[in-house]
Coordinates of all heavy atoms in Angstrom, one line a residue:
R5 N -101.4 126.9 -47.4 CA -100.9 127.9 -46.4 C -100.0 127.1 -45.4 O -100.1 125.9 -45.3 CB -101.9 128.7 -45.7 CG -102.6 127.9 -44.5 CD -103.3 126.7 -44.8 NE -104.1 126.2 -43.7 CZ -103.7 125.4 -42.7 NH1 -102.4 125.1 -42.6 NH2 -104.5 124.9 -41.8
F6 N -99.0 127.8 -44.9 CA -98.3 127.4 -43.8 C -98.7 128.2 -42.6 O -98.7 129.5 -42.9 CB -96.8 127.5 -44.0 CG -95.9 127.1 -43.0 CD1 -96.1 125.9 -42.2 CD2 -94.8 127.9 -42.5 CE1 -95.3 125.6 -41.1 CE2 -93.9 127.6 -41.5 CZ -94.3 126.4 -40.8
A7 N -99.1 127.6 -41.5 CA -99.7 128.4 -40.4 C -99.0 128.2 -39.1 O -99.6 127.6 -38.2 CB -101.1 128.1 -40.3
P8 N -97.8 128.6 -38.9 CA -97.1 128.3 -37.7 C -97.5 129.2 -36.5 O -97.9 130.4 -36.8 CB -95.6 128.6 -38.1 CG -95.7 129.7 -39.1 CD -96.9 129.3 -39.9
S9 N -97.3 128.8 -35.3 CA -97.4 129.6 -34.2 C -96.0 130.2 -33.9 O -95.0 129.6 -34.1 CB -97.9 128.9 -33.0 OG -99.1 128.2 -33.2
P10 N -96.0 131.5 -33.6 CA -94.7 132.1 -33.4 C -94.0 131.7 -32.1 O -94.1 132.5 -31.1 CB -95.0 133.6 -33.4 CG -96.4 133.7 -33.0 CD -97.1 132.4 -33.2
T11 N -93.4 130.6 -32.1 CA -92.7 130.1 -30.9 C -91.2 130.3 -30.7 O -90.6 130.0 -29.8 CB -92.9 128.5 -30.7 OG1 -92.4 128.0 -32.0 CG2 -94.3 128.2 -30.7
T21 N -93.8 120.4 -43.4 CA -95.3 120.8 -43.6 C -95.3 122.0 -44.5 O -96.0 122.0 -45.6 CB -96.0 121.1 -42.3 OG1 -95.8 120.0 -41.3 CG2 -97.5 121.5 -42.6
R39 N -99.4 132.3 -42.7 CA -100.3 132.9 -41.8 C -99.7 132.6 -40.4 O -99.4 131.5 -40.1 CB -101.7 132.2 -42.0 CG -102.6 132.7 -40.9 CD -104.1 132.3 -41.2 NE -104.2 130.9 -40.7 CZ -104.9 129.9 -41.4 NH1 -105.3 130.2 -42.7 NH2 -105.1 128.7 -41.0
I40 N -99.7 133.6 -39.6 CA -99.1 133.5 -38.2 C -100.3 133.3 -37.2 O -101.2 134.2 -37.2 CB -98.3 134.8 -37.9 CG1 -97.2 135.0 -38.9 CG2 -97.8 134.7 -36.5 CD1 -96.2 134.0 -39.0
E41 N -100.2 132.1 -36.5 CA -101.2 131.8 -35.6 C -100.9 132.2 -34.2 O -100.2 131.3 -33.6 CB -101.6 130.3 -35.8 CG -101.9 130.0 -37.2 CD -102.9 128.9 -37.4 OE1 -103.0 127.9 -36.6 OE2 -103.8 129.1 -38.3
D42 N -101.0 133.3 -33.8 CA -100.5 133.9 -32.6 C -101.7 134.3 -31.6 O -101.7 135.2 -30.9 CB -99.8 135.2 -32.8 CG -100.6 136.3 -33.4 OD1 -101.8 136.0 -34.0 OD2 -100.1 137.4 -33.4
R47 N -97.9 132.2 -25.3 CA -96.7 131.5 -25.8 C -95.9 132.3 -26.8 O -94.9 132.0 -27.3 CB -97.3 130.3 -26.6 CG -97.7 129.1 -25.8 CD -98.4 128.1 -26.6 NE -97.4 127.5 -27.6 CZ -97.8 126.9 -28.7 NH1 -99.0 126.8 -29.0 NH2 -97.0 126.4 -29.5
Q82 N -103.1 136.4 -37.0 CA -104.4 136.1 -36.5 C -104.9 137.2 -35.4 O -105.9 137.6 -35.2 CB -104.5 134.8 -35.9 CG -104.6 133.7 -37.0 CD -104.8 132.3 -36.5 OE1 -104.5 131.9 -35.4 NE2 -105.6 131.5 -37.3
Y188 N -107.5 128.1 -31.9 CA -107.1 127.4 -33.1 C -108.3 126.8 -33.8 O -108.5 126.8 -35.0 CB -106.1 126.4 -33.0 CG -105.7 125.6 -34.2 CD1 -105.0 126.1 -35.2 CD2 -106.4 124.3 -34.4 CE1 -104.8 125.4 -36.4 CE2 -106.2 123.6 -35.5 CZ -105.4 124.1 -36.5 OH -105.3 123.5 -37.7
N192 N -108.8 128.6 -37.5 CA -108.2 127.9 -38.6 C -109.4 127.7 -39.7 O -109.1 127.9 -40.9 CB -107.7 126.5 -38.2 CG -108.6 125.4 -38.2 OD1 -108.9 124.7 -39.3 ND2 -109.2 125.1 -37.1
D196 N -108.9 129.7 -43.1 CA -108.8 128.9 -44.3 C -109.9 129.4 -45.3 O -109.6 129.5 -46.5 CB -108.8 127.5 -44.0 CG -107.5 126.9 -43.4 OD1 -106.5 127.7 -43.5 OD2 -107.4 125.8 -43.0
C204 N -105.7 122.0 -47.4 CA -105.3 122.3 -45.9 C -104.3 121.1 -45.7 O -104.6 120.0 -45.5 CB -106.5 122.2 -45.0 SG -106.1 122.3 -43.4
I205 N -103.0 121.5 -45.7 CA -101.9 120.5 -45.4 C -101.4 120.8 -44.0 O -100.8 121.9 -43.7 CB -100.9 120.7 -46.5 CG1 -101.5 120.5 -47.8 CG2 -99.7 119.7 -46.2 CD1 -100.5 120.8 -49.0
R206 N -101.5 119.8 -43.1 CA -101.1 120.1 -41.7 C -100.8 118.8 -41.1 O -100.9 117.6 -41.6 CB -102.1 120.8 -41.0 CG -103.4 120.1 -40.9 CD -104.4 120.9 -40.0 NE -105.8 120.3 -40.2 CZ -106.9 121.1 -40.2 NH1 -106.9 122.3 -40.0 NH2 -108.1 120.4 -40.4
G207 N -100.4 118.8 -39.8 CA -99.9 117.6 -39.0 C -101.1 116.7 -38.7 O -102.3 117.2 -38.6
E209 N -101.9 115.4 -36.1 CA -102.7 115.7 -34.8 C -104.0 116.3 -35.0 O -104.9 116.3 -34.0 CB -101.8 116.5 -33.9 CG -101.3 117.9 -34.2 CD -100.0 117.8 -35.1 OE1 -99.8 116.8 -35.8 OE2 -99.3 118.9 -35.1
Y210 N -104.3 116.8 -36.1 CA -105.6 117.5 -36.4 C -106.6 116.5 -37.1 O -107.7 116.9 -37.5 CB -105.4 118.8 -37.2 CG -104.5 119.7 -36.5 CD1 -103.2 120.0 -36.8 CD2 -105.1 120.4 -35.4 CE1 -102.4 120.9 -36.2 CE2 -104.3 121.4 -34.6 CZ -103.0 121.6 -34.9 OH -102.2 122.5 -34.2
Y217 N -114.3 120.9 -37.3 CA -114.1 122.0 -38.2 C -115.0 121.9 -39.3 O -115.7 122.9 -39.8 CB -112.6 122.1 -38.7 CG -111.6 122.0 -37.7 CD1 -110.4 121.3 -37.9 CD2 -111.9 122.4 -36.3 CE1 -109.4 121.1 -36.9 CE2 -110.9 122.3 -35.4 CZ -109.7 121.7 -35.6 OH -108.8 121.5 -34.6
Ligands
LIG1 N1 -100.7 126.7 -35.8 C1 -100.9 125.3 -36.0 C2 -99.8 124.5 -35.5 O1 -98.7 125.2 -35.5 C3 -101.2 125.1 -37.4 C4 -101.9 123.9 -37.9 C5 -102.4 124.0 -39.2 O2 -101.6 124.1 -40.2 O3 -103.6 124.1 -39.4 O4 -99.8 123.4 -35.3

Side-chain angles (χ1 to χ4, degrees):
R5 86 299 191 276
F6 175 46
S9 301
T11 56
T21 304
R39 177 171 78 225
I40 301 300
E41 304 213 321
D42 60 345
R47 284 175 62 204
Q82 287 186 331
Y188 170 80
N192 89 85
D196 280 351
C204 173
I205 302 177
R206 64 182 166 207
E209 60 272 29
Y210 300 103
Y217 312 147

